[in-house]
Amino acid sequence: MNNIELNTDDFWHRVRVLANKRNILQKDWCADLGYDPQFISNKISRKMFPVLEDIVKIAAYFDVSVDFLLFGKDEDKHEKLSDLEERLSQIAAIVNR
């Protein structure tokens, strides 16, 4: 049987990195998702995970998988997909000239 380890520090670190990459402040993404920023700050400082529904909302907001937020999986796939979408967009622009 696989031993799965969940680490709240890693989870919240990934959320912070995603927000920083997009230049989104914690208070802004909290407001966009309907959370009181203090509620999220308390979760972070007490090393608590949000409930599953909130994990799903956060993943959808940052356009990543729940697996990525919880375990750090799929980051490379997500980055590669973004690169592919950008290249396809560039090709379409050239073709449509």
Side-chain angles (χ1 to χ4, degrees), residues 68-86:
F68 173 71
L69 285 181
L70 292 174
F71 308 108
K73 294 181 181 178
D74 296 331
E75 181 179 26
D76 291 336
K77 290 179 186 175
H78 182 71
E79 292 298 323
K80 289 177 185 174
L81 179 58
S82 296
D83 291 343
L84 179 59
E85 289 172 344
E86 184 177 331

Side-chain angles (χ1 to χ4, degrees), residues 28-94:
D28 295 330
W29 68 259
C30 285
D32 290 344
L33 292 172
Y35 303 126
D36 178 349
Q38 190 60 44
F39 172 76
I40 296 297
S41 291
N42 287 340
K43 292 274 187 193
I44 294 168
S45 66
R46 293 181 182 166
K47 299 181 185 278
M48 297 173 62
F49 281 106
V51 296
L52 182 57
E53 179 183 341
D54 293 335
I55 293 171
V56 172
K57 283 173 64 175
I58 293 168
Y61 180 82
F62 287 110
D63 192 28
V64 296
S65 69
V66 170
D67 277 349
F68 173 71
L69 285 181
L70 292 174
F71 308 108
K73 294 181 181 178
D74 296 331
E75 181 179 26
D76 291 336
K77 290 179 186 175
H78 182 71
E79 292 298 323
K80 289 177 185 174
L81 179 58
S82 296
D83 291 343
L84 179 59
E85 289 172 344
E86 184 177 331
R87 287 187 200 133
L88 287 173
S89 196
Q90 291 170 346
I91 292 169
I94 291 169

Side-chain angles (χ1 to χ4, degrees), residues 8-22:
T8 56
D9 289 335
D10 292 342
F11 173 85
W12 290 115
H13 173 75
R14 284 189 277 277
V15 171
R16 277 191 298 274
V17 168
L18 290 166
N20 288 340
K21 280 184 178 179
R22 292 163 175 79

